[in-house]
């Protein structure tokens, strides 16, 4: 929406069928196929706010509300099927492009959370919990996201999940290193934390890019509370 309205002429070009828009996986499929494939999978589509996760199709009501032409969006396919072949010039021979999945969805599948009730947590730049809820989208009563997990083939039922997100986890260590310059290497953080028995009541809320579950507040900002004259880097 922002791009179509901030760049003169883009909306007209979109309506004329001259543009296509997608997530990173769509761009990769486009490039790998030599411009023959404009596709995405249900898990990536479900995170665009333009997709009906129950009907497994772009939602005309949402598209109309945001003023986005349906024609510019990629074809939505399952997470596991042969979408097409790579351009032979890239690898010396055409190779099948046969799998697309979103970030945390792929991690959940990779951790073998195949049955309803199974969950994984990922600790990286952020921290993410995803719980397999089976073939039914389960509304959360506690501020989690209801999302598509994956679809294993065009004729297979979709698998749904609940997700909670902490946007900043490992990124807080990067801030400690690069922003505060309190350490030189990320690995030093463990010895620093181990040098004290507890935080002495100090709490850091690393809402550097807003708060995730269950508040979903993009305008929240980080804070440190409980500081005393005796607080040092180990307590932080």
């Amino acid at each position: 929406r922002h791009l179509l309205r901030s760049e003169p002429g883009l909306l007209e070009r979109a309506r004329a069928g001259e543009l296509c828009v997608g997530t990173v996986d769509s761009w990769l499929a486009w490039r790998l196929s030599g411009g023959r494939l404009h596709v995405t999978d249900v898990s990536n589509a479900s995170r665009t706010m333009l997709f009906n996760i129950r009907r497994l199709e772009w939602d005309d009501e949402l598209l109309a509300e945001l003023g986005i032409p349906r024609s510019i969006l990629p074809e939505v396919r399952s997470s596991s099927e042969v979408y097409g072949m790579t351009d032979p010039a890239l690898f010396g021979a055409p190779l099948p492009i046969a799998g697309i999945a979103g970030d945390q969805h792929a991690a959940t599948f990779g951790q073998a959370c195949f049955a309803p009730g199974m969950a994984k947590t990922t600790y990286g730049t952020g921290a993410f919990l995803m719980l397999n809820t089976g073939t039914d989208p389960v509304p959360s009563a506690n501020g989690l996201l209801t999302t598509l997990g994956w679809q294993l083939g065009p004729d297979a039922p979709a698998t749904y999940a609940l997700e909670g997100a902490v946007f900043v986890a490992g990124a807080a260590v990067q801030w400690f290193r690069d922003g505060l310059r309190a350490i030189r290497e990320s690995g030093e953080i463990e010895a620093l934390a181990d040098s004290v028995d507890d935080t002495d009541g100090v709490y850091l809320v690393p809402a550097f890019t807003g708060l995730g579950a269950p508040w979903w507040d993009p305008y929240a900002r980080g804070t440190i509370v409980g500081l005393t004259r005796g607080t040092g880097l180990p307590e932080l």
Side-chain angles (χ1 to χ4, degrees):
R1 176 184 174 88
H2 171 70
L3 287 171
L4 291 175
R5 283 155 181 75
S6 62
E7 187 71 21
L10 274 191
L11 185 57
E12 290 72 21
R13 292 182 62 194
R15 288 171 175 164
E18 297 178 12
L19 300 178
C20 56
V21 174
T23 46
V24 171
D25 58 291
S26 302
W27 182 82
L28 288 171
W30 176 270
R31 298 289 291 177
L32 287 170
S33 67
R36 290 187 294 271
L37 290 175
H38 185 39
V39 298
T40 189
D41 90 303
V42 293
S43 67
N44 283 285
S46 74
R47 309 314 288 269
T48 63
M49 296 178 68
L50 302 174
F51 192 68
N52 189 308
I53 65 172
R54 290 168 176 81
R55 294 203 304 265
L56 305 185
E57 61 184 26
W58 298 117
D59 193 295
D60 289 328
E61 181 179 355
L62 294 172
L63 292 173
E65 183 69 26
L66 293 172
I68 297 174
R70 186 177 183 137
S71 59
I72 69 174
L73 297 174
E75 178 188 0
V76 182
R77 309 273 288 271
S78 74
S79 309
S80 179
E81 61 177 283
V82 177
Y83 313 105
M85 308 299 286
T86 61
D87 188 327
L90 293 176
F91 305 110
L95 301 175
I97 302 171
I100 299 175
D103 183 13
Q104 298 307 316
H105 316 77
T108 306
F109 192 86
Q111 292 294 326
C113 297
F114 303 142
M118 299 181 74
K120 68 86 192 168
T121 53
T122 300
Y123 301 96
T125 301
F128 302 89
L129 168 70
M130 189 170 277
L131 169 74
N132 184 330
T133 62
T135 56
D136 295 318
V138 177
S140 173
N142 297 288
L144 299 179
L145 290 178
T146 301
T147 185
L148 267 160
W150 52 79
Q151 183 185 17
L152 300 181
D155 299 321
T159 295
Y160 293 88
L162 285 170
E163 181 181 6
V166 176
F167 297 143
V168 171
V173 177
Q174 294 175 324
W175 167 75
F176 209 68
R177 181 193 66 200
D178 303 333
L180 294 184
R181 300 187 183 278
I183 54 176
R184 288 173 295 182
E185 303 289 339
S186 296
E188 296 174 22
I189 199 79
E190 183 177 4
L192 196 62
D194 284 343
S195 68
V196 291
D197 293 330
D198 55 51
T199 68
D200 196 30
V202 177
Y203 291 90
L204 164 67
V205 181
F208 302 148
T209 57
L211 284 171
W215 297 278
W216 304 111
D217 184 354
Y219 302 108
R221 289 298 176 258
T223 187
I224 302 173
V225 297
L227 297 176
T228 68
R229 182 62 181 81
T231 301
L233 290 177
E235 286 77 21
L236 290 179

